[in-house]
Amino acid sequence: MLATSERVRDAENTTIVWHGASHPEACDGQCDWHAIMCSTTEGITMPGSLRDVPLELDVPGERWCPDCRSAIQARTVTEPAR
């Protein structure tokens, strides 16, 4: 899944939260802003291209945004097999 990262810091740790890209075709690798699946108005300001991130993450300190993960799962259930 093409995604963009958000760094969330607390007093002890920094967590990478992955957000699904809502319009991945708009990314040319030189973007400064990425629209995300969990919001129609918010986005991630991060220069660079999107990354292909597995839905099942096993990387310490990284997780999916719960709303983006739900949207991705709902979309994959409704898409016909190719």
Side-chain angles (χ1 to χ4, degrees):
M1 173 57 54
L2 289 176
T4 187
S5 63
E6 171 186 16
R7 285 178 173 71
V8 178
R9 294 181 175 99
D10 63 22
E12 300 174 15
N13 298 306
T14 298
T15 301
I16 302 295
V17 178
W18 291 100
H19 292 272
S22 61
H23 302 289
E25 67 282 355
C27 181
D28 64 3
Q30 304 298 315
C31 305
D32 288 333
W33 188 84
H34 293 105
I36 54 179
M37 295 176 114
C38 61
S39 176
T40 58
T41 58
E42 304 279 326
I44 302 296
T45 304
M46 178 129 179
S49 59
L50 300 171
R51 287 196 35 206
D52 192 14
V53 180
L55 196 55
E56 299 301 325
L57 280 173
D58 61 358
V59 180
E62 294 186 17
R63 65 179 175 83
W64 275 98
C65 159
D67 291 337
C68 286
R69 184 179 171 87
S70 294
I72 293 164
Q73 288 174 319
R75 189 171 72 184
T76 57
V77 168
T78 60
E79 287 181 352
R82 294 176 190 211

